[in-house]
Amino acid sequence: MPNSHACRLLTNWDAERRVIELKLEMTEGAPISGAQLATTSLFRIHPDCEIEGATLADQLSNYHVFLQPKGAVLAPGESWVIRADRLSHVLRHYTYGPKSAHLILKDGTTCPVDVEPMTLNGVPGEPNWEKLEQTALPEGAAPISVIPAPLDVQVDGRRDTAQPLVPAAEASLTAQKAFSAVRALAGRLFADEEPLFGHGAGHVVATAEDPGLPDGGYEIAFDAEGIALTAGDEHGFRHGFITLGQMLRGARLRPDEFTLPETGIVRDRPRFGWRGAHLDVARQFYVMQDLVDFLDCLAWNKLNHFHMHLNDDEAWRLEIPGWPALTARTAFRGGDELLPPLLGTPSERSGGFYTGDDIRALVAHAAGLGIEIIPEIDIPGHCYCVLRALPQLCDPGENRIYYRSVQYFPNNALNPAVDATWNFLGDVFDTLVELFPARYIHAGADEVAEGAWLESPLARTLGEKLFGKVETFSLQSYFLKRVQEMLRERGRDIAVWEEGALGGGLEVDGALLVAWKESKSGRALAEQGYRVVLAPAEHYYLDIARSTEWWEPGASWAGTVTLRDTYDYEPGGDWPDELKGQLAGVQTCLWSENLATPGLFAHLVYPRISAMAETAWSASERKDFDRFRAIQDLMPVSHRTVA
Ligand code: TNX
């Protein structure tokens, strides 16, 4: 009978010997033989590794299928032990271990396996998702609970906090629009609290427009007559209302420390125009509500760019009219789909994609909060699933696996010498341009494997013709320039990850590069003339673990990212003044390899995202870690729910 086995998988990493041990314990069911154990994880066993206790029947990136040794039988009360000593990297956190597993029985039926978090050197433990302890507001700090810190605050006294903030009857349409958006936002974020905003009785906020104020800037004056908010545009009004809402909420929840002031003034404006957050919706699928909740949190942090990473080797999430096979075959993994489960997804089919209507709704929601969505289609690399789903995009002469990406996907780059690539991309860009109004379309360009295209006869001919040589990064530059041109024809500019500058790069005009490798790489890009967004992994990658602790979740390739590492980073601090105009701003990145487990999202994102938001918005002289640390737990948190 299928599925009648109860099994659990225990994994241990022996750090000294660098050996991983997987132990499948069977508690119930008929004895099995000739079975296969399939696991998803974040390590890879080296193809030349001699595995003890199994043979490797299949592997795709971090998905492994182990075959039970010939003649071996696993019966209840017994374990099947597998050991391997050559892995892709040293394992530093429990999150590198198996994330999901299942058995494939001899008759082809599958049976789920419970997975325990991987231990270190046999020592039991628990994942650490602890919240930071609340700290007290430092002596001398202004008594207002506002993150990011406003530019200039001189306030005194306190107002009663029982009443909500209400708009004055004569508010302009612009001010009313901003008020309604912030009222609804606060209502969603703090649904189980007393409303911060209302109509009728309350603290009346008079509004006035002053086009002389900087974009997004505002002033709030408090006096005996009431509260007056002045702004130059809708963004400014929205920011001002958010500040007022944060003040009132802090004063209600921590009345000994925070006030809604009686008198004084707050003058404020953003430091950078690009205050962003990236989210990888490819490695894991996020349901619409999770995205809406995330956007709401971004808005409360006064962030204004949402960089949406829509595809990767593991999935493509955007419906493209005319290409139904694309989402049909790549947006779901497991079951009978093209791709096996990866990164914690179960053996059964799971996943999802966004329709045009979904995106329209999301873009509208974001726009109401002053957030622009930058769609990213990651090309030419990171396209394993695209090439599997659309084999007509492959060069038929490229007939063996001869390169792999860092994540170990075979032959995963779209080919610039295949005509069908350009028909496909034309339709992709038409769709993006129709759905997303943002100036920039992000075209990826990261991590194309050295050696890509070198065994494609079509690409070789193209390389010879264009450059008299065949070389991956000159072909990549050709590819990206052609994409840049296609986007220009559609009235948009190109954004790419920093590798977009390789092999001759893009035309500087209109191109925006997101620097992620090290903080100093951004400066080199600016020197080449590019406009730059800084997202250095060692400060702004939210998927990197917060400490070296084994039980702290996350990745470790960029070291650790403490709250302080995020907070203290000074973007452009080492740039000469003449380059500073090219610094568009900053953003966090959240790659989703580790986010299969609900609960992890909040732990990794918050409050580090607010630490970045303070740098994105506040003048550097206003930054004060102790003040930030004391207020951060008043900031809202969103989650990833598993569909
Ligand atoms: C590098 S950052 C990547 C991603 C991974 C990430 C994990 C970048 C442009 N590429 O494909 O998900 O590291 O931290």
Side-chain angles (χ1 to χ4, degrees):
M1 227 181 55
N3 295 339
S4 62
H5 302 86
C7 291
R8 61 177 193 150
L9 181 63
L10 302 160
T11 309
N12 181 60
W13 169 248
D14 179 333
E16 197 139 309
R17 291 166 53 229
R18 299 200 174 176
V19 172
I20 191 156
E21 178 182 282
L22 297 114
K23 187 167 160 194
L24 184 74
E25 284 184 358
M26 189 182 194
T27 47
E28 261 173 56
I32 55 172
S33 60
Q36 301 179 78
L37 171 67
T39 69
T40 77
S41 64
L42 263 186
F43 64 79
R44 290 179 310 282
I45 296 179
H46 195 276
D48 301 335
C49 173
E50 277 191 30
I51 301 173
E52 200 184 306
T55 44
L56 198 56
D58 194 12
Q59 177 178 31
L60 177 68
S61 181
N62 303 305
Y63 173 73
H64 296 87
V65 180
F66 302 97
L67 176 63
Q68 216 179 345
K70 248 199 166 106
V73 178
L74 179 66
E78 294 178 356
S79 310
W80 167 17
V81 177
I82 302 166
R83 288 194 191 92
D85 64 357
R86 294 190 59 195
L87 300 194
S88 45
H89 39 261
V90 172
L91 310 188
R92 300 194 193 279
H93 301 279
Y94 78 92
T95 40
Y96 280 87
K99 297 179 176 298
S100 62
H102 62 276
L103 274 173
I104 307 167
L105 303 178
K106 227 174 6 193
D107 64 1
T109 57
T110 60
C111 145
V113 171
D114 289 333
V115 177
E116 300 286 325
M118 177 169 65
T119 54
L120 172 67
N121 301 329
V123 182
E126 291 278 327
N128 169 24
W129 302 352
E130 251 169 55
K131 265 193 75 139
L132 292 172
E133 255 172 57
Q134 191 183 299
T135 55
L137 192 66
E139 207 65 29
I144 58 166
S145 54
V146 182
I147 287 179
L151 185 62
D152 183 15
V153 181
Q154 291 161 42
V155 293
D156 215 346
R158 63 174 61 237
R159 265 162 219 265
D160 141 63
T161 58
Q163 305 217 327
L165 297 150
V166 300
E170 64 280 6
S172 70
L173 223 55
T174 316
Q176 280 181 41
K177 223 177 131 194
F179 180 85
S180 304
V182 176
R183 182 187 180 202
L185 170 66
R188 292 190 299 273
L189 289 173
F190 313 112
D192 50 4
E193 299 177 15
E194 276 297 302
L196 296 169
F197 299 93
H199 284 285
H203 297 288
V204 176
V205 182
T207 47
E209 265 169 68
D210 176 358
L213 287 181
D215 287 356
Y218 65 91
E219 288 184 13
I220 308 171
F222 300 88
D223 64 24
E225 320 242 298
I227 303 173
L229 169 63
T230 310
D233 57 14
E234 193 183 320
H235 298 307
F237 282 117
R238 202 176 338 88
H239 295 143
F241 284 123
I242 289 173
T243 292
L244 283 166
Q246 291 185 347
M247 285 176 175
L248 175 58
R249 187 162 175 268
R252 281 179 179 171
L253 295 174
R254 287 162 65 183
D256 295 343
E257 290 169 285
F258 300 115
T259 62
L260 180 64
E262 179 63 26
T263 59
I265 188 135
V266 172
R267 287 192 192 88
D268 201 10
R269 66 177 135 87
R271 176 178 180 190
F272 290 114
W274 186 294
R275 304 183 299 279
H278 150 289
L279 180 65
D280 163 13
V281 299
R283 268 57 173 268
Q284 314 286 349
F285 179 61
Y286 289 76
V287 296
M288 285 287 285
Q289 188 61 50
D290 293 351
L291 299 179
V292 165
D293 294 349
F294 187 50
L295 287 168
D296 284 349
C297 288
L298 301 189
W300 200 251
N301 281 277
K302 300 193 175 104
L303 297 178
N304 65 354
H305 284 71
F306 176 48
H307 171 173
M308 193 174 182
H309 183 79
L310 284 160
N311 72 298
D312 218 298
D313 294 296
E314 296 91 339
W316 177 290
R317 303 287 184 200
L318 178 66
E319 180 180 55
I320 305 293
W323 299 82
L326 184 61
T327 33
R329 295 192 190 144
T330 72
F332 301 86
R333 306 191 288 257
D336 297 325
E337 298 302 326
L338 207 55
L339 269 70
L342 290 163
L343 304 167
T345 51
S347 63
E348 308 85 54
R349 178 179 186 270
S350 75
F353 62 88
Y354 306 108
T355 64
D357 283 345
D358 288 337
I359 296 294
R360 275 184 275 271
L362 204 64
V363 166
H365 184 82
L369 299 169
I371 298 171
E372 197 166 79
I373 305 187
I374 316 301
E376 178 187 353
I377 291 299
D378 198 354
I379 49 173
H382 286 281
C383 279
Y384 174 76
C385 69
V386 177
L387 293 171
R388 287 294 308 276
L390 307 174
Q392 67 270 38
L393 303 190
C394 299
D395 177 352
E398 196 181 26
N399 47 22
R400 71 176 194 110
I401 294 167
Y402 62 96
Y403 70 90
R404 287 180 191 265
S405 68
V406 252
Q407 289 89 359
Y408 215 64
F409 282 95
N411 296 15
N412 71 341
L414 292 190
N415 193 324
V418 170
D419 287 340
T421 301
W422 301 105
N423 300 336
F424 170 62
L425 290 180
D427 289 349
V428 170
F429 297 141
D430 285 345
T431 307
L432 291 176
V433 162
E434 197 211 308
L435 294 175
F436 297 92
R439 168 180 167 194
Y440 291 105
I441 303 271
H442 196 300
D446 61 315
E447 297 182 326
V448 168
E450 187 113 41
W453 304 310
L454 300 188
E455 290 192 22
S456 152
L458 291 173
R460 295 190 68 86
T461 309
L462 181 68
E464 289 288 354
K465 190 177 110 196
L466 293 171
F467 316 109
K469 65 175 179 186
V470 188
E471 193 264 322
T472 299
F473 294 104
S474 352
L475 282 167
Q476 169 175 303
S477 165
Y478 164 80
F479 182 104
L480 292 173
K481 279 184 177 143
R482 201 160 157 183
V483 168
Q484 182 172 33
E485 193 47 45
M486 288 171 89
L487 292 175
R488 275 190 190 141
E489 282 163 10
R490 290 163 175 79
R492 304 302 173 89
D493 280 320
I494 192 169
V496 284
W497 298 106
E498 63 179 75
E499 293 96 318
L502 296 175
L506 282 165
E507 276 176 36
V508 161
D509 190 24
L512 178 118
L513 271 68
V514 184
W516 62 277
K517 289 200 171 166
E518 282 175 51
S519 0
K520 61 178 183 293
S521 69
R523 176 178 169 165
L525 297 170
E527 278 162 1
Q528 292 167 60
Y530 292 114
R531 193 164 178 243
V532 175
V533 167
L534 292 171
E538 70 272 30
H539 300 281
Y540 287 170
Y541 267 32
L542 301 178
D543 58 315
I544 303 294
R546 292 168 170 195
S547 79
T548 53
E549 266 291 294
W550 178 260
W551 293 107
E552 185 67 49
S556 64
W557 66 263
T560 56
V561 177
T562 64
L563 184 59
R564 190 110 218 192
D565 290 329
T566 305
Y567 192 85
D568 284 349
Y569 177 60
E570 190 40 43
D574 59 343
W575 290 26
D577 283 345
E578 66 272 19
L579 289 182
K580 289 205 166 130
Q582 283 159 249
L583 180 51
V586 286
Q587 69 175 40
T588 51
C589 294
L590 182 57
W591 298 97
S592 294
E593 287 92 333
N594 277 311
L595 288 164
T597 322
L600 270 193
F601 184 88
H603 180 80
L604 289 172
V605 173
Y606 306 99
R608 289 187 295 185
I609 200 167
S610 298
M612 188 280 305
E614 185 138 301
T615 298
W617 178 281
S618 308
S620 39
E621 354 27 295
R622 285 294 159 269
K623 283 171 65 177
D624 170 354
F625 183 71
D626 293 337
R627 174 197 168 277
F628 169 80
R629 182 70 183 76
I631 302 176
Q632 55 77 27
D633 73 356
L634 289 167
M635 298 302 279
V637 163
S638 71
H639 300 274
R640 172 178 184 253
T641 51
V642 177

